Amino acid sequence: AGSIFARKVAEHCSRKKIAINYPLIGAAGYSGMMVWHGGLSGSAPLKVGELNHEFYDLVGQIPFSQTIFSGMNLVCILLTLLVLPTAMYWMGKKVRPTEMNQIYTKNIPNSLDQTITGAERIDYSTFGGSILGLCILFAAFYQVIWMPISSDTPFDWSFGFMNPNFIILVLFGLCLLFHRSFIRFNQAVMQAIGGSAGIMIQFPFYAGIMGIMQSSGLVTLFSDFFVTISTEQSFPIFTFISAGFVNIFVPSGGGQWLVQGPIIIEASQQLNVPIQKAIMALCYGDQVTNMLQPFWALPLLGITQLKAKEILPYTLYLFALGCLIYCLVLLIF
């Protein structure tokens, strides 16, 4: 909804010759992600509000009245809804308007010969996609063919390894290998599924990152570090920071709660911190770093035809304001 609204505002201003900064409008459309986990769709509050949830034996059932509809969270949402729009209005008066007639002509260049600078060279390289595709295929077939040989276990002639994850992994590797460069692969996907291309392409990678973070113990390592330096007063702040850090690698509220939840629950019980406050601290850390983590902005970027680097200066500003609001609320309450 925020994406479509931002696009329609830009179209209206373009027709009426109203001067606006389009990337700022896009950032405003994305700013709703700063309140999602503390709202009605928040994964952690929804899960702990269920009867017999994953950690029911540890904390029991925690109703919405203690999380989403708590006084602390309502004050936090109210401050966010007052401060952020005011800040964006002020920015709108200070920043330079964009040329609206160029907004909708932004497409991925078809020519690979044009001058490309910075990290974009990787996207256009004919080696990047091929190498990553080969790595993915090697990882897939290593588990099927070479791993049984090295471990003296027979090959699985029932083809039990042939599940949806394996098929997706192999097809994804073949796509990158045959398209050779990331930009050609991206062009093909954009032609096929348009605005949802970014989510479809990057979600498998983030699922892999989440698996690495969880299985390697990195999440536990990060969380335990903040627990060891925490006191009863500082624990919600450090929970907020650790949740924000983990969200950069695991942009999934539900996934993050399943991974980080047991650590936060145990630590809050040891430090005598109300568990509902620790849960909301995790929610705040998860949602505020969405302004740094552009994964959930991908649909917005597809609809508005903006680039992540265009909205990032403004989302960084919102991130700083959000951190200030959430930390003050956690300290006061």
Side-chain angles (χ1 to χ4, degrees), residues 11-25:
E11 291 176 354
H12 171 78
C13 292
S14 180
R15 287 193 301 267
K16 299 294 184 180
K17 307 298 182 183
I18 301 173
I20 61 168
N21 184 284
Y22 189 35
L24 176 59
I25 299 296

Side-chain angles (χ1 to χ4, degrees), residues 156-301:
D156 184 8
W157 289 104
S158 67
F159 295 94
F161 58 84
M162 193 69 71
N163 55 36
N165 283 335
F166 180 81
I167 295 172
I168 291 171
L169 187 66
V170 171
L171 291 178
F172 194 64
L174 290 173
C175 285
L176 291 173
L177 179 63
F178 292 150
H179 283 287
R180 298 182 62 195
S181 69
F182 297 117
I183 201 69
R184 285 175 174 158
F185 173 60
N186 191 53
Q187 285 175 334
V189 177
M190 286 292 292
Q191 291 175 5
I193 55 177
S196 60
I199 293 285
M200 295 291 286
I201 293 174
Q202 293 194 36
F203 218 104
F205 284 104
Y206 278 115
I209 292 172
M210 177 178 171
I212 293 173
M213 293 286 289
Q214 181 176 6
S215 301
S216 66
L218 283 174
V219 172
T220 303
L221 183 65
F222 295 146
S223 301
D224 285 347
F225 168 75
F226 287 109
V227 169
T228 56
I229 62 175
S230 298
T231 63
E232 182 178 352
Q233 291 73 30
S234 64
F235 177 70
I237 301 298
F238 285 126
T239 299
F240 168 80
I241 296 173
S242 65
F245 188 77
V246 172
N247 180 55
I248 295 175
F249 300 96
V250 186
S252 166
Q256 181 172 347
W257 168 245
L258 290 176
V259 173
Q260 204 173 1
I263 304 167
I264 291 176
I265 291 171
E266 181 181 355
S268 62
Q269 290 173 341
Q270 292 177 1
L271 296 171
N272 295 318
V273 176
I275 183 60
Q276 59 269 21
K277 185 174 182 178
I279 291 172
M280 296 313 299
L282 177 139
C283 294
Y284 299 153
D286 172 53
Q287 65 191 17
V288 75
T289 44
N290 283 325
M291 299 298 104
L292 301 179
Q293 163 61 272
F295 178 69
W296 294 113
L298 291 173
L300 178 139
L301 300 177

Side-chain angles (χ1 to χ4, degrees), residues 48-59:
V48 297
E50 295 177 355
L51 188 62
N52 297 322
H53 58 85
E54 291 85 352
F55 312 129
Y56 182 82
D57 293 338
L58 297 175
V59 297

